[in-house]
């Protein structure tokens, strides 16, 4: 019984925690002068403190863009971390690659937020006392107790990761679109990148900025 009860509580906790992990845009900006054909050759640049994180993030974004039919490439091969990212460096790096846009992504902050999880009841309480059927014997009482779980409310905290993702035209360097997003209670760095990547691609496609 102890093992079963612990398993049930663990499952409930995982469901609650997973439901907290989500990403949404809090701000977006679109260049109103953009009236060109959607971009389909994109360079991906993730600004990160560790090269491993940058590589993992750029690889995933490129993978998802490729799956959507967009030609994309990672920047870490042609723009090493130690290299100054300026117009001349980028121009030299992309020369002959026929790239028309660059997506830049970086974290702007990590904050901690408090929230309250209210009482939760599972099952329907049918009353107390011997007159109720489930109090007649152990064999009725145990299934009733097992099917009725009460978890009291409690205070908790979670981390919120804020990212800024921006798409620039590589021809003239102009900003075409930018979005600021929050990811609530991420399980890992990968969780943040995976969520914002899918969200960003959907937004850019809906706005016809990428094919």
């Amino acid at each position: 019984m102890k093992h079963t009860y612990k398993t049930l509580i663990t499952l409930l906790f995982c469901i609650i925690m997973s439901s907290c992990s989500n990403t949404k845009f809090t701000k977006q900006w679109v260049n109103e002068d953009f009236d060109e054909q959607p971009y389909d050759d994109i360079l991906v640049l993730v600004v990160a403190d560790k090269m491993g994180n940058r590589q993992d993030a750029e690889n995933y974004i490129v993978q998802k863009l490729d799956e959507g039919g967009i030609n994309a490439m990672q920047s870490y091969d042609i723009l090493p971390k130690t290299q100054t990212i300026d117009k001349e460096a980028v121009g030299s790096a992309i020369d002959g690659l026929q790239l028309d846009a660059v997506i830049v992504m970086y974290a702007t902050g990590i904050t901690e937020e408090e929230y309250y999880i209210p009482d939760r009841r599972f099952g329907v309480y049918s009353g107390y006392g011997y007159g109720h059927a489930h109090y007649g014997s152990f064999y009725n009482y145990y299934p009733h107790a097992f099917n009725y779980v009460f978890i009291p409310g409690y205070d908790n905290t979670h981390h919120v990761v804020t990212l800024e993702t921006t798409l620039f035209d590589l021809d003239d360097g102009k900003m075409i679109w930018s979005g600021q997003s929050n990811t609530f209670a991420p399980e890992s760095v990968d969780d943040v990148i995976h969520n914002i990547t899918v969200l960003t691609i959907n937004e850019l496609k809906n706005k016809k900025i990428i094919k």
Side-chain angles (χ1 to χ4, degrees):
M1 177 179 176
K2 289 183 178 179
H3 177 73
T4 304
Y5 182 76
K6 288 181 179 179
T7 302
L8 175 62
I9 294 301
T10 301
L11 177 60
L12 292 172
F13 180 79
C14 290
I15 293 172
I16 292 165
M17 292 307 296
S18 64
S19 66
C20 294
S21 181
N22 63 87
T23 299
K24 64 180 180 181
F25 281 116
T26 56
K27 298 177 183 177
Q28 285 194 62
W29 178 88
V30 179
N31 190 329
E32 295 180 355
D33 295 330
F34 176 74
D35 59 357
E36 302 178 15
Q37 293 294 319
Y39 299 105
D40 59 359
D41 292 284
I42 297 175
L43 180 68
V44 176
L45 171 59
V46 176
V47 182
D49 59 339
K50 298 179 180 179
M51 180 57 77
N53 289 340
R54 175 183 172 184
Q55 291 174 333
D56 290 344
E58 290 185 5
N59 287 339
Y60 184 79
I61 297 169
V62 167
Q63 174 191 332
K64 301 309 288 185
L65 287 168
D66 286 344
E67 289 175 3
I70 297 170
N71 296 320
M73 72 172 295
Q74 302 90 336
S75 72
Y76 59 78
D77 284 332
I78 61 174
L79 291 170
K81 184 178 179 181
T82 56
Q83 183 172 325
T84 301
I85 307 296
D86 56 21
K87 184 175 181 179
E88 184 177 345
V90 174
S92 176
I94 67 173
D95 185 40
L97 295 178
Q98 298 182 331
L99 296 166
D100 52 18
V102 57
I103 291 177
V104 181
M105 180 184 293
Y106 72 103
T108 62
I110 300 177
T111 57
E112 190 174 76
E113 291 188 357
E114 294 185 358
Y115 63 101
Y116 178 74
I117 296 181
D119 297 346
R120 290 171 309 289
R121 294 178 180 272
F122 303 89
V124 179
Y125 188 62
S126 56
Y128 175 78
Y130 190 81
H132 295 277
H134 54 273
Y135 281 90
S137 73
F138 166 74
Y139 300 103
N140 290 330
Y141 185 84
Y142 174 77
H144 167 77
F146 183 80
N147 290 321
Y148 180 86
V149 178
F150 170 75
I151 301 178
Y154 59 94
D155 293 314
N156 207 342
T157 60
H158 61 202
H159 288 95
V160 179
V161 179
T162 302
L163 291 183
E164 186 167 295
T165 308
T166 306
L167 184 144
F168 295 91
D169 185 295
L170 278 175
D171 211 19
D172 56 20
K174 290 184 178 180
M175 182 188 294
I176 304 302
W177 173 89
S178 185
Q180 189 175 88
S181 62
N182 284 343
T183 299
F184 299 88
E187 296 179 357
S188 64
V189 173
D190 288 344
D191 190 30
V192 177
I193 297 301
H194 293 183
N195 288 348
I196 189 56
T197 296
V198 173
L199 198 64
T200 296
I201 291 175
N202 288 339
E203 284 293 324
L204 293 176
K205 282 183 175 289
N206 289 338
K207 291 177 171 55
K208 302 188 185 304
I209 294 174
I210 63 175
K211 287 186 177 179

